[in-house]
Amino acid sequence: MGKDTQLNIWEVFIQSKSGLPYIHAGSIHASDEKMAMQNARDTYTRRGEGTSIWVVPSSCITASNPGDSEMLFDPSNDKIYRHPTFYVMPEGATNI
Amino acid sequence: MKKEEALFKYLLRLADDSLILGHRLSEWCSKAPFIEEDLALTNISLDMIGRTEALLTYAAVVEGKNQTADDLAYRRPEQNYYNHLLCEQPNGDFAFTIARQLFQSTFEFFLYSELLKSKDETLAAIASKSIKEIKYHLQHASDWTIRLGDGTEESKIRMQKAVNELWMFTGELFEMDEIENALLKSAFAVDLVPIKIQWQNKIQQILTEATLIVPEDDYMQTGGRNGIHSEYLGHLLCEMQYLQRAYPDAKW
C-alpha cells in the first residue's frame, strides 16, 4: 500500500440525540482539529444524523490486540449469571 | 418602475449570485483535493442552489407570468442574468475557489444578516434559513484562507495570487442603483454602504491573520447587475441549461 498523503486520520463519533451515546461513524482525513470537525460534519451529518460530534486522532486510540481476544473475551461466555435475567419483572414495568 | 418589477429584479440578483456560484462549486464534484473537501464544496454548492430555488420560486410569484423557478433558471439568456461577475469566474486552482468564496460569503453574511429584517416577509424568511448556511460557508472559506496563506511557501503564493486577481471583482458587490434604492426606501432591500465597510473590515482581519497583503483598490469591473458579463457566463449557461434548451419540458 502506498503512503497515505491525505493528511492525518481522525475517528468520528456522532450523537444522534442529546443524552444518547456517541457512536462511531467512521473516519476522515484532516490536518487539524478545526478541519477535522468540519470534515466530520460534511461527511457524516448531511442527512440529519447528528446533534453533536466528537473527533479523535486515530493515533490516540488504543485498540485491543486481536491475538488477545480469547484471553479477553472468552471467559465471559459461560457467566450467564452476569445477565440480569433472573429478576421477575414487576407487573406493568417495561424496563428495570 | 413599479414595486413588483423592482422586487422581481432584486430577487433575480440575489438568486443568480447563488445559482451561478453554486454551479461553479458543483464543477468540483469528484475533482477536489480529497474526498472530504469534495463533499464540503458540493455541500456548499447544494446550499446555494437550494437558496436559489426558494428565491426563484418567490420571484416567479412576484413576476406573475405563470413561470416556474425552473423556467427562470433554465430559460433565461445570459443578458437577463444579474449575478456579480465574481460568481461566474472559473474555479482556477483550489486557492482561487477559496478566495472567490471568501469574498462572496463575507458579502452574503452581512447582506443576509440585514435581510433578516426585511419588511418583505418571504425574503426575511428565506434569509433566516440561509444565514445559518452562509455562516458555515464563511467559516470554511476563512479557515482555508488562513491555512493556505499562513501555510507553505507555495500555498501562500497561490493564495495571494488568487486574492490579487479577484480583487477587481469586489467593487461591484456594493453598487446601489435606482432599483435597490427604491426597495431600500420601503425597507425591502439592504443598504450596501455600511455593508461595504463591514466587508472591508472582515476581509482585512482574515487576510491579516492569513499573513496575506490586502490589495489596493484599483480598476473595478462592473456590469453583472445589469446583465453585462465576462466571457465565462455564456459557457456556464450552455452547460447548465443544455437539457431544457435541447429538450424543452423534458420530464423524468
Side-chain angles (χ1 to χ4, degrees), chain B residues 123-140:
Chain B
L123 196 47
I126 294 171
S128 102
K129 180 169 183 289
S130 304
I131 193 71
K132 295 179 201 163
E133 298 169 345
I134 292 166
K135 273 183 194 164
Y136 186 78
H137 305 167
L138 175 54
Q139 182 77 51
H140 175 265

Side-chain angles (χ1 to χ4, degrees), chain A residues 27-89:
Chain A
S27 56
I28 47 115
H29 294 94
S31 64
D32 55 43
E33 292 170 18
K34 251 178 142 175
M35 197 200 285
M37 187 55 80
Q38 289 181 8
N39 287 349
R41 180 261 191 192
D42 283 329
T43 308
Y44 294 112
T45 66
R46 291 177 299 152
R47 300 178 184 90
E49 294 94 332
T51 54
S52 180
I53 301 174
W54 286 349
V55 284
V56 184
S58 302
S59 59
C60 290
I61 290 180
T62 306
S64 61
N65 183 341
D68 290 340
S69 63
E70 279 187 12
M71 170 186 82
L72 292 174
F73 308 118
D74 285 2
S76 69
N77 280 349
D78 57 354
K79 313 275 193 306
I80 53 166
Y81 49 84
R82 289 180 181 167
H83 291 277
T85 50
F86 299 96
Y87 297 97
V88 180
M89 284 288 280

Side-chain angles (χ1 to χ4, degrees), chain A residues 41-42, chain B residues 18 22 25 40-54 129-130 132-137:
Chain A
R41 180 261 191 192
D42 283 329
Chain B
S18 57
L25 290 171
L41 292 173
T42 46
N43 274 347
I44 296 172
S45 164
L46 281 177
D47 284 349
M48 299 190 87
I49 294 169
R51 190 201 318 159
T52 306
E53 198 192 6
K129 180 169 183 289
S130 304
K132 295 179 201 163
E133 298 169 345
I134 292 166
K135 273 183 194 164
Y136 186 78
H137 305 167

Side-chain angles (χ1 to χ4, degrees), chain B residues 178-236:
Chain B
E178 75 277 11
I179 293 174
E180 309 216 357
N181 281 321
L183 291 169
L184 180 60
K185 246 181 226 160
S186 47
F188 276 31
V190 172
D191 186 2
L192 297 176
V193 175
I195 301 276
K196 181 175 185 177
I197 296 161
Q198 291 175 308
W199 184 91
Q200 285 170 331
N201 289 341
K202 182 76 179 168
I203 293 294
Q204 163 109 39
Q205 178 212 321
I206 293 166
L207 294 185
T208 305
E209 198 178 335
T211 69
L212 295 169
I213 297 161
V214 183
E216 297 281 328
D217 279 1
D218 197 0
Y219 174 72
M220 290 289 183
Q221 297 279 356
T222 180
R225 286 316 202 202
N226 293 309
I228 300 160
H229 292 279
S230 62
E231 68 265 40
Y232 300 115
L233 184 66
H235 295 286
L236 183 153

Side-chain angles (χ1 to χ4, degrees), chain B residues 108-122:
Chain B
E108 286 181 353
F109 174 71
F110 293 117
L111 176 70
Y112 280 79
S113 298
E114 284 302 309
L115 279 175
L116 289 173
K117 297 175 244 164
S118 172
K119 280 262 165 27
D120 184 294
E121 281 177 20
T122 309

